[in-house]
Amino acid sequence: MKGIYSALLVSFDKEGNINEKGLRQIVRHNIDVNKVDGLYVGGSTGENFMLSTDEKKRIFEVVKDEVKDQIKLIAQVGSVNLKEAVELAKFATDLGYDALSAVTPFYYKFDFKEIKHYYETIINSVDNKMIIYSIPFLTGVNMNLDQFAELFENDKIIGVKFTAADFYLLERMRKRFPEKLIYAGFDEMMLSATVLGVDGAIGSTFNVNGIRARQIFELAQEGKIAEALEIQHVTNDLITDILENGLYQTIKAILEEQGIDAGFCRQPMKESTPEMRANAKAMYEKYFQNQDSMLNV
Ligand SMILES: CC(=O)N[C@H](C=O)[C@@H](O)[C@H](O)[C@H](O)CO
Ligand SMILES: CC(=O)C(=O)O
């Protein structure tokens, strides 16, 4: 389960319905062009928290049908509606997803006992493995080292997607949990996270920038830090441009430039303006049009 995973984008039509053809194209692009090791389905990048249970299920189905067993699949099933999370966990497990993930329960200020009960309830309802999804800047949930340790006592909880900039905590986790899988969640900090020994990364920008992401990861693992840093610099120029222009809208618009029907975002996320699309086109030309020759791949 180690390696580079795209946090999969979902294509929606103008009315906000899932565009299955576009979704399949995004999946194929991740396999054929980005050459990722796997997909993280139903995450923030999948606009998951704005979808109905049936829509989440349909996305799990379409993705599995397109991927078959070509690459690994992680299903993010977490929800403040715990019954929904269990239902999705069963559904994704029956489809053959390699692992589950669940965001820490958010919105209400759940205490740690409640958070632990949530994870145990989900994972004990299925024959599968769980990767904790920790993203404090969106959820407000900050767990400490001892709390992670308590969750990790359950052998079915095999790892964490660590989307945080607290690299002191990341280092402490690496030392204390050598057997657990730690995935870096911030693409712009991938080099530093790799130096600290993460097992992989899960990111939104890999939907377009997967080749560079793998290069950073592999060069850093080989100790070629200066070379990895050069690629992180280019990558962060791109990520800065993307974040300034609108994260998911821009990644989708770059994919459109590559001939993929990546479509619209789901409301309440805004529609791209012509200016945003023009900026994305410029990013495509700057970072991707000549990527093969730039990178010697
Ligand atoms: C909220 C969100 O999308 N987070 C992603 C993964 O955790 C990241 O891949 C970021 O999108 C990316 O690092 C840009 O900040
Ligand atoms: C990786 C990530 O942010 C997600 O889509 O959940």
Side-chain angles (χ1 to χ4, degrees):
M1 294 294 297
K2 295 183 182 191
I4 306 295
Y5 287 68
S6 279
L8 188 68
L9 287 158
V10 174
S11 179
F12 296 96
D13 66 20
K14 214 169 163 35
E15 284 71 48
N17 301 308
I18 300 166
N19 168 358
E20 293 190 7
K21 186 167 148 271
L23 175 59
R24 285 177 189 274
Q25 289 177 355
I26 299 172
V27 170
R28 287 255 56 95
H29 184 75
N30 271 302
I31 298 173
D32 300 337
V33 177
N34 290 310
K35 304 199 185 301
V36 295
D37 298 302
L39 297 174
Y40 186 88
V41 186
S44 314
T45 307
E47 302 177 52
N48 174 74
F49 303 108
M50 296 173 281
L51 306 184
S52 71
T53 310
D54 284 346
E55 288 171 320
K56 294 175 190 183
K57 287 183 175 174
R58 185 65 193 143
I59 290 164
F60 289 145
E61 254 171 10
V62 170
V63 173
K64 178 65 186 177
D65 182 64
E66 188 62 40
V67 169
K68 307 278 190 292
D69 293 315
Q70 281 189 276
I71 55 174
K72 297 283 184 197
L73 287 175
I74 301 172
Q76 196 296 123
V77 300
S79 166
V80 251
N81 176 351
L82 181 53
K83 285 181 188 294
E84 183 196 39
V86 168
E87 185 179 334
L88 292 172
K90 289 180 177 162
F91 188 80
T93 300
D94 288 346
L95 283 174
Y97 273 67
D98 299 283
L100 306 176
S101 181
V103 71
T104 52
F106 54 92
Y107 190 78
Y108 301 102
K109 296 288 172 204
F110 299 106
D111 66 24
F112 180 68
K113 230 178 129 187
E114 291 165 328
I115 294 173
K116 187 175 173 190
H117 169 261
Y118 165 92
Y119 281 108
E120 302 272 330
T121 303
I122 298 170
I123 201 55
N124 291 337
S125 71
V126 287
D127 180 15
N128 209 334
K129 310 266 190 276
M130 169 62 65
I131 295 160
I132 298 162
Y133 180 11
S134 177
I135 182 160
F137 95 98
L138 290 182
T139 59
V141 180
N142 279 285
M143 290 193 292
N144 64 36
L145 194 62
D146 288 337
Q147 290 172 335
F148 277 109
E150 204 172 318
L151 294 178
F152 282 149
E153 277 170 22
N154 185 331
D155 288 339
K156 292 171 86 175
I157 303 185
I158 59 167
V160 58
K161 172 160 121 62
F162 186 90
T163 307
D166 184 348
F167 277 26
Y168 178 29
L169 177 61
L170 178 58
E171 180 278 330
R172 291 289 80 190
M173 291 193 17
R174 180 68 298 166
K175 165 114 193 296
R176 185 145 164 199
F177 314 120
E179 310 302 328
K180 299 291 180 179
L181 291 166
I182 305 178
Y183 298 94
F186 273 131
D187 314 351
E188 52 276 48
M189 302 175 201
M190 189 178 190
L191 168 56
S192 326
T194 308
V195 170
L196 291 179
V198 295
D199 301 289
I202 299 170
S204 64
T205 62
F206 308 162
N207 284 277
V208 287
N209 200 44
I211 298 286
R212 288 193 186 91
R214 176 178 302 285
Q215 289 177 324
I216 296 167
F217 185 62
E218 291 182 351
L219 287 167
Q221 286 189 324
E222 292 163 19
K224 296 179 181 162
I225 303 302
E227 283 170 64
L229 182 56
E230 284 307 309
I231 302 170
Q232 185 77 69
H233 282 323
V234 178
T235 289
N236 286 8
D237 289 345
L238 167 67
I239 293 177
T240 302
D241 288 350
I242 289 176
L243 290 174
E244 275 173 13
N245 200 50
L247 177 58
Y248 306 129
Q249 291 90 345
T250 304
I251 303 175
K252 286 182 178 182
I254 294 172
L255 284 169
E256 293 272 344
E257 293 298 324
Q258 294 175 293
I260 287 149
D261 186 10
F264 294 82
C265 287
R266 176 81 162 219
Q267 288 176 8
M269 284 197 187
K270 62 175 171 284
E271 206 177 293
S272 311
T273 61
E275 190 195 347
M276 286 161 76
R277 285 178 186 266
N279 291 339
K281 182 167 192 281
M283 287 177 224
Y284 164 69
E285 285 163 2
K286 180 169 173 193
Y287 297 102
F288 297 108
Q289 206 163 28
N290 301 311
Q291 191 184 39
D292 291 359
S293 54
M294 269 164 56
L295 294 170
N296 288 325
V297 292

